[in-house]
Amino acid sequence: MFLIGTSTATMNIQFDSVRKYSSSLKITAFLLLAMVNSASSMTTKCPFSRIFLLGDGFSDIGTSANVVPGLSIPSTRFPYGITFPGTPNGRWSDGRVSTEFVAQDFELPDIRPYFPANNSLRNNGVIFAVARSPVLDLEFFRSRGVDFPPYAVPLKVQLQWIRSYLNSVCSNSTDCSAKILQDSLVILGYEDGNDIGYPLSQGKSIEEVKAFVPLIRNTIIDAARELIKMGATRVVITGSNPLGCFPYILTALDNSSLAAYDPLGCLKSVNNLIISKNNDLNLAVTRLSLEFLNATILFADLYTPLQTIISTTALLGTNPLKACCGIGGRYNFDENRFCASPGVPFCANPNRYIFWDGLHLTQETFDRITSVVLPVFRPLLKCRLI
Ligand SMILES: *[C@@H]1O[C@H](CO)[C@@H](O)[C@H](O)[C@H]1NC(C)=O
Ligand SMILES: *[C@@H]1O[C@H](CO)[C@@H](O)[C@H](O)[C@H]1NC(C)=O
Ligand SMILES: *[C@@H]1O[C@H](CO)[C@@H](O)[C@H](O)[C@H]1NC(C)=O
C-alpha cells in the first residue's frame, strides 16, 4: 500500500536534523557517529531476496560499458573509480553508486550488472540500468532532433532485458518467473531526468519539454503495471533530481539574468519543471497502488535530499555546483573536454564535492542521499533491523 503521509512526515524529520547540522556541527557529528556505531552492530532482514533495477547512470554498475562492444566510454577510463575500487570499472562516479548503498543496506550485496551477462540465480539481483538512458524511446527523441549516446537503452528495451533474463533462468516456465519477481524488490530508477536534461541541453525550450511529462509518466507506470502482472509485489519508482542544479544544465542554459536563478544558484525554470514532473509521477504512483492492492508500490523522492545536501554544502562555504572532474566555465564543465579526456583535471578530495563529472554524483553524495532515504523505505518494505 502507498503510505505517502508516513513517508513525508519521516522525511521532514530527517531534513530538520540535516538543517541543524549547519548550526551545531559538533553535536550532529557526535550523533552521526553514534548512529553509525549502532547501525554497524545491526543487520537488516528484508522479506525478499533479490533486487532488480531498471534505470540510468545513478544506478548503472557497469552495463553501459558493455552495451556497444568496442566502444570506449569515459566511465572505463581514469579517474572514474578512483575512490572505489581504485580503478575504473564502468561506474559513472569516483566510487560506488546509489544501487550499491541500497543493496548493502538491505543485506543483498551481491548484485550484478546485466552485462557482462551472468544468468545465475545465486546472486542477489541484476542491475539493468544504463547511464544516459531515457524513459522514452530513442526514436521519439531522434525525430525531434535530440541525440543520445549510442549506448543509451530506453525503458522499453530494459524491460525486454528483464524478461529475457527471467526466461533464461527459468527455462521458459512463467510460474518460475512470477515466483522470482514475487521474492524481489523491483526499482524503476530513472533519477537523472535524461528525458528532460538531454532535450534542454540541446536547445529545446522548457515549453517543448513540458509536453513530454505525461508520456514519461505513462511509460513508467505502464512498465510498473506490466512487472506487477508478471508477478512483482514490491515496486519502488523514483522521482528525478533537481536537474536545474547540475553543472551540464547550468552550463548549457547559462542566463545573464539573475532572476533566472534561485538562492542556491540553480535554474528555477528547470527545477520547477522537474518538480511538476515528480508531482505528476507521484500522483500516478498513488493511483497505481489503488489499482493493485496486492502489491506495495512506493514513490521515492530524491529531489529533496539532494537539494538539502546542496544547501548545507553552500552554508559550509563551498561552491556546491562545480563538478569535481572537469574543466572550464563557472561549473568546471565543458562537454568537449569531459571528465577522463586527456588533460582534464579532477579535484583532490571528491568527498567534498557533490557532482563528479557534471552529469553524475560523487560516491559521498550517493551515500548521503541513500542514508536519508533508506530509513524511510525499510519499514515500508517490511525490512527489520535485527
Ligand atoms: C555469476 O554469479 C555467480 C553468483 O554470484 C558467481 O559465482 C559467478 O562467478 C558469476 N559468473 C560470472 C561469469 O561472472
Ligand atoms: C496482483 O494482481 C494482478 C491483477 O489482478 C495480477 O495480475 C498479479 O498476478 C497479482 N500478483 C500476485 C503476486 O498475485
Ligand atoms: C533568462 O531568464 C529569464 C528570467 O527567468 C527568462 O525570461 C529568459 O527567457 C531566460 N533567457 C534564456 C536565454 O534562457
Side-chain angles (χ1 to χ4, degrees):
M1 278 7 68
F2 184 63
L3 297 170
I4 184 175
T6 313
S7 70
T8 312
T10 323
M11 293 289 246
N12 287 341
I13 293 164
Q14 293 287 344
F15 299 134
D16 280 339
S17 62
V18 174
R19 246 174 251 132
K20 278 173 208 134
Y21 183 66
S22 50
S23 55
S24 64
L25 264 175
K26 272 185 203 150
I27 294 169
T28 316
F30 171 76
L31 284 176
L32 280 177
L33 212 64
M35 273 165 64
V36 168
N37 281 340
S38 61
S40 63
S41 61
M42 290 198 244
T43 58
T44 314
K45 181 79 192 115
C46 296
F48 48 88
S49 45
R50 269 180 209 92
I51 298 173
F52 294 115
L53 188 148
L54 316 186
D56 52 37
F58 280 34
S59 328
D60 182 356
I61 55 170
T63 297
S64 57
N66 294 290
V67 170
V68 181
L71 181 73
S72 165
I73 63 174
S75 67
T76 60
R77 297 194 294 262
F78 181 81
Y80 282 85
I82 186 157
T83 308
F84 177 88
T87 50
N89 59 7
R91 287 159 179 78
W92 291 78
S93 180
D94 60 307
R96 296 178 184 85
V97 295
S98 64
T99 334
E100 293 165 298
F101 292 106
V102 173
Q104 263 165 33
D105 191 82
F106 290 156
E107 302 278 336
L108 299 168
D110 185 15
I111 47 170
R112 305 282 164 146
Y114 183 55
F115 282 157
N118 185 344
N119 296 339
S120 165
L121 261 185
R122 276 174 300 158
N123 54 42
N124 299 140
V126 180
I127 307 306
F128 299 89
V130 175
R132 318 284 189 105
S133 295
V135 169
L136 301 177
D137 292 346
L138 297 179
E139 192 42 53
F140 172 88
F141 291 107
R142 215 171 285 133
S143 67
R144 286 163 177 78
V146 178
D147 293 326
F148 273 79
Y151 51 87
V153 178
L155 173 51
K156 202 200 321 187
V157 179
Q158 290 188 25
L159 257 184
Q160 282 163 15
W161 282 1
I162 191 170
R163 264 191 241 106
S164 33
Y165 166 81
L166 290 168
N167 284 342
S168 73
V169 292
C170 278
S171 46
N172 291 326
S173 139
T174 45
D175 211 35
C176 156
S177 297
K179 275 204 192 99
I180 292 171
L181 283 176
Q182 223 170 316
D183 187 31
S184 304
L185 169 65
V186 179
I187 304 175
L188 293 174
Y190 291 85
E191 298 152 30
D192 274 3
N194 287 328
D195 297 77
I196 291 173
Y198 270 79
L200 285 181
S201 67
Q202 292 176 33
K204 300 292 167 200
S205 70
I206 295 275
E207 285 312 310
E208 276 174 281
V209 177
K210 202 175 257 171
F212 303 168
V213 168
L215 304 171
I216 298 170
R217 173 241 297 149
N218 288 347
T219 308
I220 293 176
I221 296 295
D222 287 348
R225 189 179 281 120
E226 183 171 341
L227 288 160
I228 293 164
K229 286 186 174 162
M230 285 162 65
T233 50
R234 296 167 201 86
V235 180
V236 171
I237 298 176
T238 73
S240 301
N241 282 288
L243 199 58
C245 307
F246 278 53
Y248 86 105
I249 292 291
L250 287 162
T251 303
L253 277 70
D254 192 29
N255 193 312
S256 55
S257 159
L258 262 183
Y261 298 91
D262 71 10
L264 294 176
C266 304
L267 281 162
K268 285 194 280 196
S269 57
V270 179
N271 279 353
N272 287 340
L273 173 58
I274 294 286
I275 289 169
S276 74
K277 184 219 151 197
N278 285 347
N279 288 342
D280 181 74
L281 184 60
N282 194 348
L283 266 176
V285 169
T286 308
R287 283 196 298 271
L288 190 70
S289 68
L290 297 173
E291 186 182 328
F292 293 105
L293 297 175
N294 62 353
T296 302
I297 309 168
L298 304 166
F299 177 80
D301 170 28
L302 303 174
Y303 185 106
T304 322
L306 184 54
Q307 177 94 330
T308 307
I309 291 169
I310 293 171
S311 39
T312 48
T313 305
L315 283 172
L316 295 171
T318 321
N319 180 349
L321 306 178
K322 268 183 193 281
C324 162
C325 183
I327 191 166
R330 261 189 289 168
Y331 308 102
N332 268 356
F333 183 82
D334 178 345
E335 64 173 340
N336 297 315
R337 291 201 289 165
F338 199 75
C339 178
S341 302
V344 173
F346 61 99
C347 65
N349 190 349
N351 286 351
R352 295 223 182 99
Y353 280 71
I354 293 171
F355 295 99
W356 167 243
D357 58 10
L359 275 76
H360 304 101
L361 307 175
T362 58
Q363 168 178 289
E364 175 70 14
T365 314
F366 284 125
D367 190 4
R368 290 176 70 184
I369 293 175
T370 44
S371 67
V372 172
V373 174
L374 288 172
V376 178
F377 279 83
R378 254 185 243 128
L380 297 176
L381 293 167
K382 306 207 164 44
C383 298
R384 288 174 301 124
L385 283 176
I386 51 175

